[in-house]
Every structure is written in structure tokens, then in C-alpha cells.
């Protein structure tokens, strides 16, 4: 029964877009599936999208139990409100949801090394949850370096990187004459990482399909 921790090479690379797509595909196949955004900073728009994709089987507070007002790294946002995150309680809540929804996607916050508490980063949180990690990246200049660094850090943490998802990004379909780098980044990542690398665009999203390594069927 697949459950994944969804991280990104940066903020704004399409983690929520991909996570919504994944949970919808699971549900289409009749699986008990849900998606969580346990920590958010700024608005709760991502959590609301995940709730809709999950079919409103969980409340907004169940999907996003920890929310800070400031759009900043959670450590900074928590300090601004004189708060801290109780990860023992948070992780217990995540495990309780996982027991009810074996197909579960847990979306991280920001990138892989974002600080959540003093001496505790997204990387440490994922290690405590012990889920396979999916890396989401945006197909642009720098994606190879950023993705390799993220996957190396995942492996150094003793975790399994299940694969990489490369989002085409806004405007890609309108630019058929993409530069050499963007047209070949996915192939090079597959060659170097020896991992599944899934390339997505808005048309693929509409198809509602996921490959076997993500708990679905071959595209």
C-alpha cells in the first residue's frame, strides 16, 4: 500500500499540483486515499486543494493541523507567533490517518532542507516518518543540480527516494522551441540517478494516470 512523503527542490515547484493529481488517480482506482499538508505557512490554499482532491474525507484541520500566518520558513513563522511544533503529537496524528488511508501522500513544506525547529529540518521530519520520498522539481535551468543535491541528501539520510517528478511549468506548452536544457533535462536525470523520472504537463494531469512506481498503472 503506497504512502509517500512529497518534497520539492524548492518552493513553488508544483508539489501540491502533483499531490492532488496523485490522490485523485488513486481514488479513481477505488483506493482509500488521502493527502495531508501537515504544516503550512501563509495561507491554507494548498491544504484546501488537497482536501478537494481527497474528496473532503478529512477536515481542513485534519489535513493541515499546523498553520502559521507568516509566509516564511516554519521556524521563522513559529518564532513570529511565539509558538513551536510538537512533532511527537503531529507524527502520531499522521500515523493515525495512515492507518485509515493506506494510500497516503504527505506533502512537505518548502524544500528538503527548510528549517522547522532549531536543529530540525524537513529532512529530519521525513526521516522520522520513514516514508519513501518523491522529489518534485520544475523543468528549468538548474533543475539537474537542484535535483541531484536533493536526492543525495535523501539517500544520505538513510531514506528511499522512490523517484522524481518533473513538472513542465507554466508556459511550456506554448513554447514548442524550448531550449536544449529543458528538452533534455528529464533524460539526463534518468541517466544519472538511475531512478524513475516522471515528466508531467497539464495534458498529462487531465489524463489522471500514474505509473506503477507511484501505485498506479504504466503511462
Amino acid at each position: 500500500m503506497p504512502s509517500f512523503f512529497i518534497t520539492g527542490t524548492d518552493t513553488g515547484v508544483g508539489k501540491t499540483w502533483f499531490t492532488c493529481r496523485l490522490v485523485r488517480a488513486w481514488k479513481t482506482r477505488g483506493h482509500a486515499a488521502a493527502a495531508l499538508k501537515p504544516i503550512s505557512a501563509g495561507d491554507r490554499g494548498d491544504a484546501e486543494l488537497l482536501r478537494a482532491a481527497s474528496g473532503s474525507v478529512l477536515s481542513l484541520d485534519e489535513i493541515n493541523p499546523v498553520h502559521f500566518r507568516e509566509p516564511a520558513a516554519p521556524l521563522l513563522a513559529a518564532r513570529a507567533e511565539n509558538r513551536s511544533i510538537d512533532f511527537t503529537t503531529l507524527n502520531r496524528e499522521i500515523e493515525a490517518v495512515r492507518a485509515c488511508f493506506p494510500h497516503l501522500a504527505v506533502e512537505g513544506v518548502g524544500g528538503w532542507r527548510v528549517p522547522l525547529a532549531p536543529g530540525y529540518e524537513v529532512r529530519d521530519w521525513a526521516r522520522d516518518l520513514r516514508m519513501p520520498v518523491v522529489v518534485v522539481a520544475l523543468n528549468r535551468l538548474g533543475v539537474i543540480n537542484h535535483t541531484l543535491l536533493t536526492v543525495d541528501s535523501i539517500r544520505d539520510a538513510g531514506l528511499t527516494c522512490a523517484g522524481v517528478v518533473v513538472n513542465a511549468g507554466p508556459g511550456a506548452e506554448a513554447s514548442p522551441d524550448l531550449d536544449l536544457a529543458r528538452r533534455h533535462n528529464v533524460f539526463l536525470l534518468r541517466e544519472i540517478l538511475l531512478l524513475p523520472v516522471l515528466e508531467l504537463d497539464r495534458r498529462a494531469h487531465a489524463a489522471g494516470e500514474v505509473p506503477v512506481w507511484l501505485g498506479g498503472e504504466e503511462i
Side-chain angles (χ1 to χ4, degrees):
M1 296 297 184
S3 58
F4 298 104
F5 188 92
I6 314 297
T7 194
T9 55
D10 198 355
T11 190
V13 295
K15 294 191 305 297
T16 301
W17 178 75
F18 165 70
T19 305
C20 286
R21 176 186 188 278
L22 179 61
V23 74
R24 283 194 182 105
W26 283 340
K27 291 181 74 66
T28 297
R29 285 158 179 77
H31 300 301
L36 302 180
K37 176 87 172 184
I39 303 170
S40 68
D43 64 44
R44 303 177 86 182
D46 288 352
E48 290 168 348
L49 290 171
L50 294 179
R51 183 168 186 252
S54 300
S56 298
V57 292
L58 297 170
S59 70
L60 185 61
D61 287 338
E62 288 173 317
I63 289 171
N64 175 218
V66 179
H67 171 245
F68 300 106
R69 293 186 299 272
E70 293 295 327
L75 174 58
L76 295 177
R79 285 176 173 172
E81 298 181 26
N82 195 27
R83 294 168 57 195
S84 61
I85 303 172
D86 180 351
F87 281 97
T88 299
T89 298
L90 181 62
N91 292 351
R92 189 183 302 122
E93 291 172 351
I94 293 170
E95 287 302 322
V97 174
R98 192 177 183 182
C100 298
F101 298 94
H103 284 64
L104 180 66
V106 178
E107 183 185 334
V109 55
W112 181 244
R113 296 291 306 273
V114 166
L116 305 175
Y120 193 82
E121 304 172 348
V122 169
R123 174 182 58 179
D124 305 298
W125 182 32
R127 186 163 47 202
D128 288 343
L129 291 174
R130 302 191 64 81
M131 293 179 179
V133 180
V134 175
V135 176
V136 179
L138 192 61
N139 196 355
R140 59 188 176 191
L141 287 175
V143 68
I144 293 174
N145 179 60
H146 297 157
T147 304
L148 295 181
L149 288 172
T150 302
V151 173
D152 282 349
S153 185
I154 290 167
R155 289 168 167 167
D156 288 344
L159 292 169
T160 298
C161 181
V164 174
V165 175
V166 178
N167 282 322
E173 295 90 340
S175 304
D177 56 338
L178 295 177
D179 57 87
L180 177 69
R182 288 185 65 179
R183 284 188 283 114
H184 292 276
N185 283 336
V186 171
F187 301 103
L188 191 53
L189 284 170
R190 287 176 182 146
E191 178 183 331
I192 295 171
L193 290 172
L194 301 178
L195 286 173
V197 179
L198 177 63
E199 183 178 16
L200 290 181
D201 58 22
R202 299 292 170 177
R203 288 165 297 185
H205 183 220
E209 298 172 336
V210 292
V212 169
W213 65 273
L214 285 169
E217 302 169 359
E218 288 289 358
I219 291 180

